[in-house]
Amino acid sequence: MRKVICASAFVALSFTPAAASVCSQHYQSSGVPLVTGVTYKTWMEFPSVSPAAAFDKVSRAVLAEGFVDVNVEKQLGTLTAQQETSGSGRPQTLRVVVRKTGKGSRVDAVFMVPQGQVAPNMSDNLCRVVNAVAD
């Protein structure tokens, strides 16, 4: 019995990081911080989550992260939001697209930072929004 419990715990613990690491494996950035605008992006597929459910979860996650000027086009599966954290008055833009793939969904997230600004920890931040679909 003890071996079964230990084996079950090991499987559960080893599965969680593997599922979480998928988002970061798709993470990319382009541009030079402070010198040019920088674009951060990632994506994930959720084979058992419908696009409508995925879109609702992503929308709630974006609002929970404190974005403003959220523009939702549910029929298109697109969401655009802004935030301004630098004090410069130039907003940073988040775009999320949810689309059908097979029987599930694919979620793409892009975060654009204007020239002269930086955005730390973007891999974690974007993945937190995208991974909200699995919650």
Side-chain angles (χ1 to χ4, degrees), residues 26-41:
H26 298 136
Y27 176 77
Q28 298 176 342
S29 66
S30 61
V32 180
L34 296 174
V35 178
T36 66
V38 181
T39 300
Y40 304 94
K41 59 185 172 179

Side-chain angles (χ1 to χ4, degrees), residues 73-121:
E73 293 288 338
K74 194 167 187 170
Q75 290 180 339
L76 298 175
T78 62
L79 179 145
T80 305
Q82 306 284 320
Q83 76 174 8
E84 201 291 305
T85 58
S86 67
S88 69
R90 296 183 307 159
Q92 301 164 340
T93 303
L94 172 68
R95 290 191 182 135
V96 181
V97 176
V98 178
R99 56 190 154 153
K100 184 171 179 62
T101 181
K103 294 183 179 183
S105 319
R106 175 178 163 138
V107 178
D108 292 87
V110 178
F111 189 72
M112 294 162 283
V113 177
Q115 177 183 0
Q117 295 182 1
V118 294
N121 305 318

Side-chain angles (χ1 to χ4, degrees), residues 9-62:
F10 178 75
V11 169
L13 290 174
S14 64
F15 178 76
T16 304
S21 69
V22 174
C23 179
S24 61
Q25 289 173 357
H26 298 136
Y27 176 77
Q28 298 176 342
S29 66
S30 61
V32 180
L34 296 174
V35 178
T36 66
V38 181
T39 300
Y40 304 94
K41 59 185 172 179
T42 192
W43 62 273
M44 272 187 71
E45 290 183 349
F46 300 92
S48 61
V49 181
S50 73
F55 189 78
D56 288 344
K57 289 180 179 186
V58 164
S59 298
R60 285 198 257 350
V62 168

Side-chain angles (χ1 to χ4, degrees), residues 58-73:
V58 164
S59 298
R60 285 198 257 350
V62 168
L63 291 170
E65 290 291 326
F67 283 87
V68 296
D69 297 331
V70 178
N71 181 17
V72 174
E73 293 288 338

